[in-house]
Amino acid sequence: MKKIINNIDDIVSEMVHGIVSSYPQKLKILPGTLAIARNDAAFSDDKKVGVVSGGGSGHEPLHSGYVGKGMLCAAVCGQINTSPTPDQIYEAIKYADKGQGVLLIVKNYAGDDMNFDMAKELAEFDDIKVESILVDDDISAADDAEDTQGKRGVAGTVLVEKICGAAAEQGMELHELAQLGQRVINNTKTVAVALSAATVPAVGHPGFELDDDQMEYGVGIHNERGFSTEKIAPSKQIAEELINKILKSYDHNTGDYAVLVNGLGSTPLMEQFVFANDVLNLLKEKGIKVSFTKVGNKVTAIDMHGISLTLMKLENNWIEYLEAPTDAISW
Amino acid sequence: MKKIINNIDDIVSEMVHGIVSSYPQKLKILPGTLAIARNDAAFSDDKKVGVVSGGGSGHEPLHSGYVGKGMLCAAVCGQINTSPTPDQIYEAIKYADKGQGVLLIVKNYAGDDMNFDMAKELAEFDDIKVESILVDDDISAADDAEDTQGKRGVAGTVLVEKICGAAAEQGMELHELAQLGQRVINNTKTVAVALSAATVPAVGHPGFELDDDQMEYGVGIHNERGFSTEKIAPSKQIAEELINKILKSYDHNTGDYAVLVNGLGSTPLMEQFVFANDVLNLLKEKGIKVSFTKVGNKVTAIDMHGISLTLMKLENNWIEYLEAPTDAISW
Amino acid sequence: MELTINQAKKWIILWTDYVKNNVELLNEIDTAIGDGDHGTNLNRGTQATKKALEEEDPQTMPLVFRTVALTLVSTIGGASGALYGTAFLTMARLVKDGETRLEVLLVEATKAMKKRGKSDVGMKTLIDLWDPASKAFAEHKLTKEYINDCVEKTKNMKAKKGRSSYLRERSIGHVDPVAKSSSYLYIALLEVID
Amino acid sequence: MELTINQAKKWIILWTDYVKNNVELLNEIDTAIGDGDHGTNLNRGTQATKKALEEEDPQTMPLVFRTVALTLVSTIGGASGALYGTAFLTMARLVKDGETRLEVLLVEATKAMKKRGKSDVGMKTLIDLWDPASKAFAEHKLTKEYINDCVEKTKNMKAKKGRSSYLRERSIGHVDPVAKSSSYLYIALLEVID
Ligand SMILES: Nc1ncnc2c1ncn2[C@@H]1O[C@H](COP(=O)(O)OP(=O)(O)O)[C@@H](O)[C@H]1O
Ligand SMILES: Nc1ncnc2c1ncn2[C@@H]1O[C@H](COP(=O)(O)OP(=O)(O)O)[C@@H](O)[C@H]1O
Ligand SMILES: [Mg+2]
Ligand SMILES: [Mg+2]
Ligand SMILES: [Mg+2]
Ligand SMILES: [Mg+2]
């Protein structure tokens, strides 16, 4: 395992300190936690619903890179692939609350779900209004979702954070915001492929092995294997398969879409844009209208080499929320 | 070699098309070229000096990701690690010229230098005022620079593009802009380390081999080997060595600095921020004031795993140029 | 039945020692059907709890449970952190409200965890230890053999909650890691009240 | 001396054939001290030039040189693209201005490339072929042996310009790739005027 780190146990703490000391005008650490929160002047005068997210580390820039005016008020960083603890989430909620309540955006994993749930109880005990939404955009294992913890939350999370963050910034109240977030989640679908697995530092070797000519369809962002291992295909063919899988999962394919092509950590932008080119060409051929596209390392799996495709069916003025300005360093 | 691509010969063209079709409101391709240019409404009314850059591909998001109001007017994309041809650069110059002339920001490689030089002659033949500056921030082989093509242009290029782009946006005239750019270049110093080399698609294997416990100090962004191969060290030690090398290369170390921690392609943000944390702590210990920091994959070497550190000694109001808003998708 | 303050402290400290001596084993079990961190995570939490009990040396029953609950909640993390946290916070709240019957505390803690995890028996989680063990304890029938039996039974279950649920059929054949670490808690209890 | 239009076309086309037959060799030489693409890049440019000459079939000397120059400039890329481009643009400009003496064209092209590359003889570049070869040609002393000799001599030089200069001492022991590809141009010339 080759990584630019010091001690394995200190990675998350050092990373979090690195983030805030790189952008001190925008970000700070909440005392006694590994939660990163807005530090800009505008925030202190805000009287808006606070939006808070978080989860295990290893998905950078999610969530910390999306803290800033117009997106999140705070992001709570757990250890690598491990949910943060309720006390830290609770601190973030308290910081984000301006009397209008707080929306929690949680990825659907047992640890995240339960720890955020506990934090919510702690906050409600303090009379802070809290609602939470569970992002579960990964459709790669949707068929038997009731027999499992449910669909996983992956790259689509960043779109949920952007839309909810922008709507909160524009003054939407808490309950409406949670409903908006839930609709966005319902409309957001992701599938990923990996050419090689990630190496979790504490583990020291890749989470699974693929041959030189193999790729894995349907991987998750915690090194979860996918639904099939195939011979590596040209970008265009991968795009075709992911698009078909995603489009089929909607009731119908009319309307406008947003597209997110997401690198999983060690995938060069060059490959991401070649893939985006194929995706956009294929969608055009299929008569699917795309009104918003984003390409880059947005929600990663440490150093996994691979890519995910997210489609989001747009409603109402969501496109305006997507295009609204934000101070977040990584949007 | 595992890459998400189609045909090797089509990578750059497909990538360029992927970039502009992902961001059609902001970017377009100049007809008959692989030059990416501003496509925003504000540009058509501009009466400012145009700033143009470009070079071989494989360093994304450089330069195409820096096209937009407040940075570049156009970026000319050559084949991978190959300078673009003068005719394409010339098209970019013509597009960028609004009667106030055009500044060319060129990285110091023989191919780039000579091809941009030819384009400049073509443009001058058309009575377009053109000035060019050569970025040569890589100090890893500075000792005998007169005996070689000279120091290479690497990560610092993005800072030069930001400052010149912002100054042009604020109305600075051509000659002054070129002088500003040259001063910025003189004040900018970079050194890089790699844990593994990049794989150029046409070559199909890593440019050089390092053992599992080895790292290479002083690599370039085209798989050039560096000045020494060492046992891999903790982030803090790498930071210390790069900082010392860079600080020594200035006449004196008073004043404010900007810091760029740059991932070389496949380095996760996690590692970049751990490293940034060490860099900022060490600079603080040394009493060096840092007024601006940027961290991320800004100037890459395809899929090289490694990191570069750039320091820039700030003068006058450069910090304002660095902090000025820009529409560029990757700043 | 009721514990004395010293018994309560001894119980928890005995548990932390069990965890400490079995970190590798718990990690191994979690590796088979999870992400391999349960031993490390839990040990971090229980060692912090031991330290807190020793340093704060709480002198009332509510304070003992409060110390244990808050320390576990803030130091374990992950799914098991929320579950153990929920269990001990529930017990702490009940003790504070005057409920001291241990059998009630354990049954209520189990209920709270079911609610927290939207889960129930048969899903290959710690519930498959807590539910039968807390009931057997209430009926004075809890033995070490029974506890280990409950853990063993999770082996043939297919996971329906948590990370391991994504393994589907492949989750069968391994015991649940947090059922295992919970078995130490119940065994420690038996040893303390023996 | 002066070339006829047909000789000029034949010269260039002969050169493109030499390049085509030696793509791998040129790539290999560039791999040793550069980035291994010179054969591929130059062949792309010379094949495009051949095609342009055949399709556009220019009927005046200035048009022939213009076609060659513009095609090379826009299709080779890299350092050698700029250098060959500079050489042929210089010759095209001179021919357009009425200068038809080949020896003058070659000497002026060499000068222009020196200026373009801020380089001179002894730096292990194509200048080490063009400079002596153009002078020998002017003095009617150019032979195939002399041309190959010039290429060979670059072997023991230490590169001071271009990518290979970063190899420092390690650049010694290999001939310069663009000196080699330029040798084909001069050999083709000898064959055409033979
Ligand atoms: N929804 C749930 N309800 C009850 N128990 C659960 C649930 N999800 C997970 N668990 C328990 O948590 C254990 C995993 O704990 P831990 O290793 O801390 O989680 P992770 O590392 O996946 O965050 C599982 O083995 C199971 O016993
Ligand atoms: N400054 C220079 N002056 C003259 N010739 C140069 C200069 N730099 C490079 N060259 C020539 O260019 C050759 C490399 O050409 P090419 O492979 O096209 O370049 P690259 O791939 O490095 O862009 C060198 O072998 C040398 O002959
Ligand atoms: Mg875990
Ligand atoms: Mg090249
Ligand atoms: Mg686990
Ligand atoms: Mg070359």
Side-chain angles (χ1 to χ4, degrees), chain A:
Chain A
M1 177 184 71
K2 278 184 164 182
K3 296 199 188 272
I4 301 170
I5 53 173
N6 296 298
N7 295 318
I8 287 177
D9 289 342
D10 301 333
I11 293 176
V12 175
S13 161
E14 291 181 2
M15 172 184 78
V16 165
H17 283 87
I19 294 171
V20 298
S21 33
S22 296
Y23 301 95
Q25 286 86 4
K26 295 182 176 224
L27 301 173
K28 67 172 180 180
I29 297 181
L30 297 182
T33 73
L34 291 178
I36 293 180
R38 280 180 63 179
N39 197 31
D40 54 303
F43 183 64
S44 33
D45 309 326
D46 253 11
K47 285 280 160 289
K48 290 161 185 163
V49 172
V51 182
V52 168
S53 189
S57 291
H59 312 305
E60 295 70 32
L62 191 80
H63 303 270
S64 47
Y66 305 127
V67 174
K69 192 170 152 75
M71 276 186 94
L72 304 178
C73 299
V76 195
C77 304
Q79 290 303 309
I80 294 173
N81 289 353
T82 301
S83 164
T85 55
D87 53 316
Q88 302 209 1
I89 303 167
Y90 171 56
E91 290 302 322
I93 294 174
K94 278 197 293 188
Y95 183 78
D97 180 47
K98 301 278 188 166
Q100 310 300 311
V102 173
L103 177 70
L104 301 179
I105 300 177
V106 186
K107 301 196 296 305
N108 186 34
Y109 299 97
D112 289 324
D113 184 13
M114 296 191 286
N115 281 291
F116 276 82
D117 199 38
M118 291 184 73
K120 186 172 175 238
E121 280 177 17
L122 294 174
E124 283 165 348
F125 198 77
D126 283 355
D127 291 324
I128 301 177
K129 283 184 295 173
V130 181
E131 298 218 24
S132 71
I133 52 176
L134 275 180
V135 186
D136 63 346
D137 56 315
D138 185 355
I139 60 159
S140 43
D143 306 340
D144 60 347
E146 320 79 54
D147 270 3
T148 67
Q149 186 72 32
K151 289 185 288 134
R152 300 173 297 218
V154 291
T157 310
V158 64
L159 301 178
V160 178
E161 294 181 354
K162 182 62 173 72
I163 291 179
C164 290
E169 180 64 27
Q170 291 174 24
M172 191 177 280
E173 61 85 25
L174 178 59
H175 187 62
E176 203 187 332
L177 193 63
Q179 285 182 320
L180 168 66
Q182 189 57 56
R183 274 211 71 75
V184 171
I185 293 168
N186 297 345
N187 284 13
T188 303
K189 323 265 188 182
T190 301
V191 191
V193 293
L195 305 193
S196 61
T199 296
V200 174
V203 176
H205 58 77
F208 53 88
E209 291 292 341
L210 292 172
D211 289 347
D212 276 355
D213 62 347
Q214 284 184 328
M215 55 186 293
E216 179 93 358
Y217 278 95
V219 293
I221 56 174
H222 305 92
N223 259 338
E224 301 99 329
R225 289 203 77 134
F227 51 82
S228 71
T229 310
E230 307 284 344
K231 268 229 161 358
I232 187 165
S235 167
K236 194 172 171 174
Q237 187 181 326
I238 301 173
E240 175 89 44
E241 294 186 17
L242 299 194
I243 286 173
N244 288 343
K245 190 163 174 75
I246 292 175
L247 286 181
K248 241 187 293 175
S249 75
Y250 289 101
D251 292 341
H252 56 85
N253 295 131
T254 51
D256 284 15
Y257 287 80
V259 170
L260 170 65
V261 169
N262 174 57
L264 289 174
S266 68
T267 314
L269 267 183
M270 176 181 275
E271 297 177 35
Q272 297 180 40
F273 276 114
V274 165
F275 181 75
N277 184 54
D278 290 321
V279 166
L280 295 172
N281 282 338
L282 287 166
L283 287 172
K284 199 172 197 174
E285 277 174 27
K286 289 175 198 289
I288 304 278
K289 184 167 174 226
V290 175
S291 301
F292 180 90
T293 305
K294 190 107 194 159
V295 180
N297 293 343
K298 297 298 165 186
V299 178
T300 62
I302 311 181
D303 56 356
M304 183 175 269
H305 183 192
I307 213 159
S308 70
L309 175 65
T310 302
L311 296 191
M312 172 192 283
K313 196 182 274 210
L314 294 165
E315 295 186 2
N316 309 320
N317 60 338
W318 295 4
I319 182 88
E320 285 158 38
Y321 293 137
L322 286 172
E323 283 171 353
T326 172
D327 270 3
I329 57 171
S330 305
W331 169 248

Side-chain angles (χ1 to χ4, degrees), chain A residues 81-82, chain C residues 35 37 41 163:
Chain A
N81 289 353
T82 301
Chain C
D35 59 353
D37 60 1
N41 289 345
R163 218 177 270 287

Side-chain angles (χ1 to χ4, degrees), chain B residues 97 140 147 170 228:
Chain B
D97 180 47
S140 42
D147 269 2
Q170 291 174 26
S228 71

Side-chain angles (χ1 to χ4, degrees), chain B residues 47-101:
Chain B
K47 287 279 159 291
K48 290 162 184 164
V49 173
V51 182
V52 168
S53 189
S57 290
H59 312 303
E60 295 68 32
L62 191 80
H63 302 269
S64 47
Y66 306 126
V67 174
K69 191 172 153 75
M71 275 185 93
L72 303 178
C73 299
V76 195
C77 305
Q79 290 303 306
I80 294 174
N81 288 355
T82 301
S83 165
T85 55
D87 53 317
Q88 301 209 4
I89 303 167
Y90 171 56
E91 290 302 321
I93 294 173
K94 279 198 292 188
Y95 183 77
D97 180 47
K98 301 278 188 166
Q100 310 300 310

Side-chain angles (χ1 to χ4, degrees), chain B residues 81-87 108-111 113-115 117-118 121 134 141 144 147-152 222 224, chain D residues 35 37 41 73-79 81-83 85-86 89 116-118 158-163 165-166 168:
Chain B
N81 288 355
T82 301
S83 165
T85 55
D87 53 317
N108 186 34
Y109 299 97
D113 183 14
M114 296 191 285
N115 282 291
D117 198 38
M118 291 183 74
E121 280 176 17
L134 274 181
D144 59 348
D147 269 2
T148 67
Q149 186 70 34
K151 289 186 288 135
R152 301 173 297 219
H222 304 93
E224 301 100 330
Chain D
D35 58 352
D37 61 0
N41 289 345
V73 157
S74 62
T75 52
I76 307 181
L83 291 162
T86 298
L89 278 176
R116 179 74 67 207
K118 298 167 199 117
K158 190 171 135 190
K160 304 230 168 155
K161 288 288 169 183
R163 220 176 270 286
S165 67
Y166 300 114
R168 296 171 178 87

